[in-house]
Structure formats: structure tokens, C-alpha cells
Amino acid sequence: MHIWLEFKRSHFALIGFAILLLFCAIAILAPLLSPYDPNVQNTNAILLPPAWEGNGSISHIFGTDSLGRDVFSRTLYGSRATFGSSVFLVIIALTIGVALGTLAGMNKGIKSSVLNHLLDSLMAVPTLLIAIIIVAILGTGLWNSMWAIVLALIPQFVHQTRTFVREEMKKDYILLDKLDGASSPRIFWASILPGMFELLAVQSTLALSVAIIDISALGFLNLGAQSPVVELGASLSLSLEVAYSAPWLVALPGFCIFLMVLSINVVGEGLRTALRNRLIH
């Protein structure tokens, strides 16, 4: 409750949160909101401009593409694929990363040292580059690109969790738990995890924005989603050939990607500020 009171003091954070909720609703309700099937072609309405232009039609609010497909419907489904898959893979990366990071932070020895040095090496490599390498091995496709980004994001969660757990293990209340005979799993669930929620919330927002950019980039490079799957990055790539004659085909998917990343970053910054102010008060 205190975090929410501090969070809503920022109007920009609230606007970003509202936009984020809008994309969540689109991810869930896209089939209900879409006026057309995103892959249905209408040869009588090829490269139809948006409704507000002279040659536009109200039946296709944002116009059609070079195959006569409704741009608004494709943008809804593309947002669903990009945003929904990003949330899904961040949850997976968070779960695996926290588990590995906790093991690395609570244990000592050669295995822990090797894992720590390996993760530190991976942290120096951009996630998109790691994802491209993994996709090159696994093959193209939305699912393969998702697993590639999961594997690229896991080291970040492991690093943050490992550092936090190591610092907490040095504190007196953990020593008291050990003297009381508490096992390592109990120490983690009862003592360490409750204090880790703030760190994970902030790290998750950062990972989500990275995931959206990486999925869009892989789709744009034709390494991610393949037809007939509709994804914003892939839609941008397909629209480049007619970008000069039909700029709306590039503008709408690009604006959606920009709005997703911006809203997530604004919410993440608002959350960090709220947590910091709560600690001060």
C-alpha cells in the first residue's frame, strides 16, 4: 500500500501504468477487439490509406497492406504476440534465474566459483547477440527466438539474485536462523525472498523492455516470428518495401513498440522511485 501511494505521486508513472494495462488488455482480448482476421487478404483494398485520408475507408481505420490485410487487426495481433510472449519469457527467466542465483549465493566452493565466473562472462555480451547465436543454432521461429531470449536473460537475474543473497547471508538475522537450526530452503523462503521482491520487481521491468526489443529485432531480421504468425518486428520488416508509398505500414507497428518500451521504462523508474521514497520515509 505504501509503495502504491508513493508510485501514484508521479503522473508520468500513472500514465505509463495505464498504457501498460492497455497492452495487457490487448494481449488478452485481441481476437475480440480485432475487426478482421489478420491474415485474410482483400484484393479489392490493396494499400488502402488510413480512414482520415481522402482515399481512406472507415471499414479499415488504419488502412491495409500490400496484400489487402487490415493493418489495425494485424497491429493488435502483433502487439499480442510481442508483448504477451515477452511477459511469458520474462516469467520463465525470472524463475530459473532466481533459483540458480540463490544456489550460487548460498553455496560456496568450486562449483559456485565456476558458475559465478561463467555468468560474469555472459553478462558482458549483449542479450540480442546471445539470442541471435542461439537462434542460429536452434533455427528461426517465434518459439525458438523466445527460448533464445530466455537463455539470454537468465544470467541477469542470476547475477542480481546471487549478489543480493550473498549480502543477506552475511547479516545477523541469517546467522540467528542458522543457530535456530533452519535449513537453507527455509532461510530462503522465510527470510531472504520477502526482501527480494523489490529487487525482482525492478529487474523484471528492465528485462521486459529488453525482451520486447529483442523479440522485435529478431522478427525484423527474419530470425523470429515467421508467417502466418503476426509480430510487430516482422510486420516492420515486411513493410519496408512499400514504406515510401505507404508509410502508415511502418508507423503503426513502430509506434506500438516504442510505446511498449517507453511505458515499461516509465513504470520501472516510477517503481524504483516509490521504493526509494518508501525506505526514506
Side-chain angles (χ1 to χ4, degrees), residues 144-186:
N144 286 345
S145 65
M146 287 173 61
W147 291 121
I149 295 172
V150 166
L151 295 175
L153 288 177
I154 285 175
Q156 299 185 17
F157 285 106
V158 174
H159 176 76
Q160 296 289 338
T161 304
R162 179 197 65 190
T163 303
F164 181 86
V165 171
R166 277 190 168 182
E167 291 298 323
E168 294 300 304
M169 292 295 291
K170 299 176 182 178
K171 295 183 178 179
D172 293 337
Y173 76 97
I174 298 296
L175 179 59
L176 292 176
D177 287 342
K178 290 181 178 180
L179 293 176
D180 287 339
S183 61
S184 295
R186 180 174 176 80

Short mmCIF file of all heavy atoms in Angstrom, two decimals, residues 144-186:
data_model
loop_
_atom_site.label_atom_id
_atom_site.label_comp_id
_atom_site.label_asym_id
_atom_site.label_seq_id
_atom_site.Cartn_x
_atom_site.Cartn_y
_atom_site.Cartn_z
N ASN A 144 11.47 -20.48 -30.98
CA ASN A 144 12.93 -20.57 -30.84
C ASN A 144 13.52 -19.24 -30.40
O ASN A 144 14.46 -19.20 -29.59
CB ASN A 144 13.57 -21.02 -32.15
CG ASN A 144 13.35 -22.50 -32.42
OD1 ASN A 144 12.97 -23.25 -31.54
ND2 ASN A 144 13.58 -22.91 -33.66
N SER A 145 13.00 -18.14 -30.94
CA SER A 145 13.51 -16.83 -30.53
C SER A 145 13.16 -16.54 -29.08
O SER A 145 13.95 -15.92 -28.35
CB SER A 145 12.94 -15.74 -31.44
OG SER A 145 11.52 -15.63 -31.30
N MET A 146 11.98 -17.00 -28.62
CA MET A 146 11.61 -16.82 -27.23
C MET A 146 12.55 -17.57 -26.30
O MET A 146 13.02 -17.02 -25.29
CB MET A 146 10.16 -17.27 -27.01
CG MET A 146 9.12 -16.34 -27.59
SD MET A 146 7.44 -17.03 -27.48
CE MET A 146 7.27 -17.20 -25.68
N TRP A 147 12.84 -18.83 -26.63
CA TRP A 147 13.76 -19.60 -25.79
C TRP A 147 15.15 -19.00 -25.82
O TRP A 147 15.87 -19.03 -24.81
CB TRP A 147 13.80 -21.06 -26.24
CG TRP A 147 12.54 -21.81 -25.98
CD1 TRP A 147 11.74 -22.42 -26.90
CD2 TRP A 147 11.90 -21.99 -24.71
NE1 TRP A 147 10.65 -22.98 -26.28
CE2 TRP A 147 10.72 -22.74 -24.94
CE3 TRP A 147 12.20 -21.60 -23.42
CZ2 TRP A 147 9.85 -23.09 -23.91
CZ3 TRP A 147 11.33 -21.94 -22.38
CH2 TRP A 147 10.17 -22.69 -22.64
N ALA A 148 15.54 -18.46 -26.96
CA ALA A 148 16.85 -17.82 -27.06
C ALA A 148 16.94 -16.61 -26.13
O ALA A 148 17.95 -16.41 -25.44
CB ALA A 148 17.13 -17.41 -28.50
N ILE A 149 15.88 -15.80 -26.10
CA ILE A 149 15.88 -14.62 -25.24
C ILE A 149 15.81 -15.02 -23.78
O ILE A 149 16.42 -14.37 -22.91
CB ILE A 149 14.71 -13.69 -25.63
CG1 ILE A 149 14.93 -13.16 -27.06
CG2 ILE A 149 14.60 -12.52 -24.66
CD1 ILE A 149 13.76 -12.40 -27.62
N VAL A 150 15.08 -16.10 -23.47
CA VAL A 150 15.05 -16.60 -22.08
C VAL A 150 16.47 -16.94 -21.63
O VAL A 150 16.91 -16.54 -20.54
CB VAL A 150 14.14 -17.83 -21.97
CG1 VAL A 150 14.38 -18.57 -20.64
CG2 VAL A 150 12.68 -17.43 -22.05
N LEU A 151 17.19 -17.69 -22.45
CA LEU A 151 18.56 -18.08 -22.11
C LEU A 151 19.47 -16.86 -22.01
O LEU A 151 20.42 -16.85 -21.22
CB LEU A 151 19.10 -19.05 -23.15
CG LEU A 151 18.40 -20.42 -23.23
CD1 LEU A 151 18.96 -21.24 -24.38
CD2 LEU A 151 18.56 -21.17 -21.92
N ALA A 152 19.18 -15.81 -22.79
CA ALA A 152 20.00 -14.60 -22.73
C ALA A 152 19.69 -13.75 -21.50
O ALA A 152 20.57 -13.05 -20.99
CB ALA A 152 19.79 -13.78 -24.00
N LEU A 153 18.44 -13.82 -21.01
CA LEU A 153 18.04 -13.01 -19.86
C LEU A 153 18.39 -13.66 -18.52
O LEU A 153 18.56 -12.97 -17.51
CB LEU A 153 16.54 -12.73 -19.90
CG LEU A 153 16.03 -11.74 -20.95
CD1 LEU A 153 14.52 -11.65 -20.89
CD2 LEU A 153 16.64 -10.36 -20.75
N ILE A 154 18.47 -14.99 -18.49
CA ILE A 154 18.70 -15.70 -17.24
C ILE A 154 19.95 -15.20 -16.50
O ILE A 154 19.89 -14.99 -15.27
CB ILE A 154 18.77 -17.22 -17.49
CG1 ILE A 154 17.36 -17.77 -17.74
CG2 ILE A 154 19.41 -17.95 -16.31
CD1 ILE A 154 17.34 -19.24 -18.11
N PRO A 155 21.11 -14.99 -17.18
CA PRO A 155 22.29 -14.53 -16.44
C PRO A 155 22.07 -13.23 -15.67
O PRO A 155 22.67 -13.04 -14.60
CB PRO A 155 23.35 -14.36 -17.54
CG PRO A 155 22.93 -15.32 -18.61
CD PRO A 155 21.44 -15.29 -18.58
N GLN A 156 21.23 -12.32 -16.19
CA GLN A 156 20.98 -11.07 -15.49
C GLN A 156 20.26 -11.31 -14.17
O GLN A 156 20.62 -10.74 -13.13
CB GLN A 156 20.17 -10.12 -16.38
CG GLN A 156 20.86 -9.75 -17.68
CD GLN A 156 20.08 -8.73 -18.46
OE1 GLN A 156 19.20 -8.05 -17.95
NE2 GLN A 156 20.40 -8.60 -19.75
N PHE A 157 19.24 -12.17 -14.21
CA PHE A 157 18.52 -12.49 -12.97
C PHE A 157 19.42 -13.25 -11.99
O PHE A 157 19.36 -13.03 -10.78
CB PHE A 157 17.27 -13.31 -13.28
CG PHE A 157 16.14 -12.51 -13.86
CD1 PHE A 157 15.81 -12.60 -15.20
CD2 PHE A 157 15.40 -11.66 -13.07
CE1 PHE A 157 14.78 -11.87 -15.74
CE2 PHE A 157 14.36 -10.91 -13.59
CZ PHE A 157 14.05 -11.01 -14.93
N VAL A 158 20.25 -14.15 -12.52
CA VAL A 158 21.16 -14.90 -11.67
C VAL A 158 22.15 -13.96 -10.98
O VAL A 158 22.41 -14.07 -9.78
CB VAL A 158 21.93 -15.97 -12.49
CG1 VAL A 158 22.98 -16.65 -11.62
CG2 VAL A 158 20.97 -17.01 -13.04
N HIS A 159 22.68 -13.01 -11.75
CA HIS A 159 23.67 -12.07 -11.21
C HIS A 159 23.06 -11.22 -10.09
O HIS A 159 23.66 -11.08 -9.01
CB HIS A 159 24.19 -11.18 -12.33
CG HIS A 159 25.14 -10.12 -11.87
ND1 HIS A 159 26.44 -10.39 -11.53
CD2 HIS A 159 24.96 -8.79 -11.67
CE1 HIS A 159 27.03 -9.28 -11.15
NE2 HIS A 159 26.15 -8.28 -11.23
N GLN A 160 21.88 -10.65 -10.35
CA GLN A 160 21.24 -9.81 -9.34
C GLN A 160 20.87 -10.61 -8.10
O GLN A 160 21.07 -10.15 -6.97
CB GLN A 160 19.98 -9.16 -9.94
CG GLN A 160 20.24 -8.20 -11.08
CD GLN A 160 20.90 -6.92 -10.62
OE1 GLN A 160 20.82 -6.55 -9.46
NE2 GLN A 160 21.58 -6.24 -11.54
N THR A 161 20.33 -11.80 -8.30
CA THR A 161 19.91 -12.64 -7.17
C THR A 161 21.12 -13.10 -6.37
O THR A 161 21.11 -13.06 -5.13
CB THR A 161 19.14 -13.87 -7.67
OG1 THR A 161 18.02 -13.43 -8.45
CG2 THR A 161 18.62 -14.69 -6.50
N ARG A 162 22.17 -13.54 -7.05
CA ARG A 162 23.38 -14.01 -6.38
C ARG A 162 23.98 -12.92 -5.50
O ARG A 162 24.34 -13.16 -4.34
CB ARG A 162 24.40 -14.46 -7.42
CG ARG A 162 25.72 -14.96 -6.84
CD ARG A 162 26.79 -14.99 -7.92
NE ARG A 162 27.09 -13.65 -8.40
CZ ARG A 162 27.82 -13.39 -9.47
NH1 ARG A 162 28.31 -14.38 -10.19
NH2 ARG A 162 28.06 -12.15 -9.83
N THR A 163 24.08 -11.70 -6.06
CA THR A 163 24.65 -10.58 -5.29
C THR A 163 23.80 -10.27 -4.06
O THR A 163 24.34 -10.06 -2.96
CB THR A 163 24.74 -9.33 -6.19
OG1 THR A 163 25.53 -9.64 -7.35
CG2 THR A 163 25.37 -8.17 -5.45
N PHE A 164 22.48 -10.25 -4.24
CA PHE A 164 21.58 -9.95 -3.11
C PHE A 164 21.67 -11.02 -2.03
O PHE A 164 21.78 -10.71 -0.84
CB PHE A 164 20.14 -9.84 -3.63
CG PHE A 164 19.14 -9.50 -2.56
CD1 PHE A 164 18.90 -8.18 -2.22
CD2 PHE A 164 18.45 -10.50 -1.89
CE1 PHE A 164 17.97 -7.87 -1.23
CE2 PHE A 164 17.53 -10.20 -0.91
CZ PHE A 164 17.29 -8.88 -0.57
N VAL A 165 21.63 -12.29 -2.45
CA VAL A 165 21.65 -13.39 -1.49
C VAL A 165 22.98 -13.41 -0.73
O VAL A 165 23.01 -13.63 0.49
CB VAL A 165 21.41 -14.73 -2.20
CG1 VAL A 165 21.66 -15.91 -1.25
CG2 VAL A 165 19.98 -14.80 -2.73
N ARG A 166 24.07 -13.17 -1.42
CA ARG A 166 25.38 -13.16 -0.75
C ARG A 166 25.45 -12.08 0.32
O ARG A 166 26.00 -12.31 1.41
CB ARG A 166 26.49 -12.94 -1.78
CG ARG A 166 26.91 -14.20 -2.50
CD ARG A 166 28.16 -13.97 -3.31
NE ARG A 166 28.73 -15.22 -3.78
CZ ARG A 166 29.84 -15.31 -4.48
NH1 ARG A 166 30.51 -14.21 -4.77
NH2 ARG A 166 30.30 -16.47 -4.87
N GLU A 167 24.92 -10.90 0.02
CA GLU A 167 24.93 -9.83 1.01
C GLU A 167 24.04 -10.16 2.20
O GLU A 167 24.39 -9.87 3.35
CB GLU A 167 24.46 -8.52 0.35
CG GLU A 167 25.43 -7.95 -0.68
CD GLU A 167 26.77 -7.60 -0.06
OE1 GLU A 167 26.77 -7.11 1.09
OE2 GLU A 167 27.81 -7.81 -0.72
N GLU A 168 22.88 -10.78 1.92
CA GLU A 168 21.97 -11.12 3.01
C GLU A 168 22.53 -12.23 3.89
O GLU A 168 22.31 -12.24 5.11
CB GLU A 168 20.61 -11.56 2.44
CG GLU A 168 19.86 -10.46 1.73
CD GLU A 168 19.54 -9.28 2.63
OE1 GLU A 168 18.92 -9.50 3.68
OE2 GLU A 168 19.94 -8.15 2.29
N MET A 169 23.27 -13.16 3.29
CA MET A 169 23.82 -14.27 4.07
C MET A 169 24.84 -13.81 5.10
O MET A 169 25.15 -14.53 6.05
CB MET A 169 24.46 -15.30 3.13
CG MET A 169 23.47 -16.05 2.25
SD MET A 169 22.33 -17.10 3.17
CE MET A 169 23.43 -18.38 3.75
N LYS A 170 25.38 -12.62 4.93
CA LYS A 170 26.36 -12.08 5.88
C LYS A 170 25.72 -11.38 7.07
O LYS A 170 26.41 -11.01 8.02
CB LYS A 170 27.29 -11.09 5.16
CG LYS A 170 28.08 -11.69 4.01
CD LYS A 170 28.88 -10.61 3.30
CE LYS A 170 29.65 -11.17 2.10
NZ LYS A 170 30.39 -10.11 1.37
N LYS A 171 24.41 -11.19 7.02
CA LYS A 171 23.74 -10.40 8.05
C LYS A 171 23.39 -11.25 9.28
O LYS A 171 23.31 -12.48 9.21
CB LYS A 171 22.48 -9.75 7.48
CG LYS A 171 22.81 -8.72 6.39
CD LYS A 171 21.58 -8.02 5.87
CE LYS A 171 21.96 -6.97 4.83
NZ LYS A 171 20.78 -6.27 4.28
N ASP A 172 23.17 -10.55 10.39
CA ASP A 172 22.99 -11.22 11.68
C ASP A 172 21.71 -12.06 11.74
O ASP A 172 21.69 -13.12 12.36
CB ASP A 172 22.97 -10.19 12.81
CG ASP A 172 24.32 -9.50 12.98
OD1 ASP A 172 25.33 -10.09 12.56
OD2 ASP A 172 24.36 -8.38 13.52
N TYR A 173 20.64 -11.60 11.10
CA TYR A 173 19.38 -12.34 11.22
C TYR A 173 19.46 -13.70 10.53
O TYR A 173 18.78 -14.65 10.93
CB TYR A 173 18.21 -11.51 10.68
CG TYR A 173 18.10 -11.43 9.18
CD1 TYR A 173 17.25 -12.28 8.49
CD2 TYR A 173 18.82 -10.48 8.46
CE1 TYR A 173 17.12 -12.20 7.11
CE2 TYR A 173 18.70 -10.40 7.08
CZ TYR A 173 17.85 -11.25 6.42
OH TYR A 173 17.72 -11.18 5.06
N ILE A 174 20.30 -13.80 9.49
CA ILE A 174 20.51 -15.11 8.85
C ILE A 174 21.31 -16.02 9.78
O ILE A 174 21.03 -17.22 9.88
CB ILE A 174 21.25 -14.93 7.51
CG1 ILE A 174 20.42 -14.10 6.54
CG2 ILE A 174 21.58 -16.30 6.90
CD1 ILE A 174 19.12 -14.74 6.12
N LEU A 175 22.31 -15.45 10.48
CA LEU A 175 23.09 -16.22 11.45
C LEU A 175 22.20 -16.75 12.56
O LEU A 175 22.34 -17.91 12.99
CB LEU A 175 24.21 -15.36 12.03
CG LEU A 175 25.10 -16.02 13.09
CD1 LEU A 175 25.79 -17.26 12.51
CD2 LEU A 175 26.12 -15.02 13.62
N LEU A 176 21.24 -15.94 13.00
CA LEU A 176 20.30 -16.39 14.04
C LEU A 176 19.43 -17.53 13.53
O LEU A 176 19.14 -18.47 14.28
CB LEU A 176 19.43 -15.21 14.49
CG LEU A 176 20.14 -14.09 15.26
CD1 LEU A 176 19.18 -12.94 15.54
CD2 LEU A 176 20.73 -14.63 16.56
N ASP A 177 19.01 -17.44 12.27
CA ASP A 177 18.22 -18.53 11.68
C ASP A 177 19.02 -19.82 11.64
O ASP A 177 18.50 -20.91 11.93
CB ASP A 177 17.77 -18.16 10.26
CG ASP A 177 16.67 -17.11 10.26
OD1 ASP A 177 16.04 -16.93 11.31
OD2 ASP A 177 16.47 -16.47 9.21
N LYS A 178 20.31 -19.71 11.30
CA LYS A 178 21.16 -20.90 11.26
C LYS A 178 21.34 -21.50 12.65
O LYS A 178 21.33 -22.72 12.82
CB LYS A 178 22.52 -20.55 10.65
CG LYS A 178 22.49 -20.24 9.17
CD LYS A 178 23.88 -19.92 8.64
CE LYS A 178 23.90 -19.66 7.16
NZ LYS A 178 25.25 -19.34 6.65
N LEU A 179 21.51 -20.63 13.64
CA LEU A 179 21.67 -21.11 15.02
C LEU A 179 20.40 -21.77 15.53
O LEU A 179 20.46 -22.67 16.38
CB LEU A 179 22.06 -19.95 15.94
CG LEU A 179 23.45 -19.34 15.70
CD1 LEU A 179 23.67 -18.14 16.60
CD2 LEU A 179 24.53 -20.39 15.94
N ASP A 180 19.26 -21.36 15.00
CA ASP A 180 17.98 -21.98 15.38
C ASP A 180 17.76 -23.30 14.66
O ASP A 180 16.76 -23.97 14.90
CB ASP A 180 16.82 -21.03 15.07
CG ASP A 180 16.76 -19.87 16.05
OD1 ASP A 180 17.33 -20.01 17.15
OD2 ASP A 180 16.16 -18.83 15.70
N GLY A 181 18.68 -23.65 13.76
CA GLY A 181 18.57 -24.93 13.06
C GLY A 181 17.78 -24.87 11.77
O GLY A 181 17.40 -25.92 11.24
N ALA A 182 17.54 -23.67 11.24
CA ALA A 182 16.77 -23.54 10.00
C ALA A 182 17.58 -24.06 8.82
O ALA A 182 18.78 -23.81 8.72
CB ALA A 182 16.38 -22.09 9.76
N SER A 183 16.93 -24.80 7.94
CA SER A 183 17.59 -25.32 6.74
C SER A 183 17.73 -24.22 5.70
O SER A 183 17.09 -23.16 5.80
CB SER A 183 16.78 -26.47 6.15
OG SER A 183 15.49 -26.03 5.77
N SER A 184 18.55 -24.45 4.69
CA SER A 184 18.77 -23.45 3.64
C SER A 184 17.48 -23.08 2.90
O SER A 184 17.22 -21.89 2.67
CB SER A 184 19.83 -23.96 2.65
OG SER A 184 21.08 -24.08 3.29
N PRO A 185 16.64 -24.07 2.50
CA PRO A 185 15.37 -23.71 1.84
C PRO A 185 14.48 -22.83 2.73
O PRO A 185 13.85 -21.89 2.23
CB PRO A 185 14.72 -25.06 1.55
CG PRO A 185 15.85 -26.02 1.47
CD PRO A 185 16.84 -25.54 2.47
N ARG A 186 14.45 -23.15 4.03
CA ARG A 186 13.61 -22.36 4.93
C ARG A 186 14.16 -20.93 5.08
O ARG A 186 13.38 -19.97 5.13
CB ARG A 186 13.52 -23.03 6.30
CG ARG A 186 12.67 -22.25 7.30
CD ARG A 186 12.49 -23.01 8.61
NE ARG A 186 11.75 -22.21 9.56
CZ ARG A 186 10.43 -22.07 9.56
NH1 ARG A 186 9.70 -22.69 8.64
NH2 ARG A 186 9.84 -21.33 10.48
#
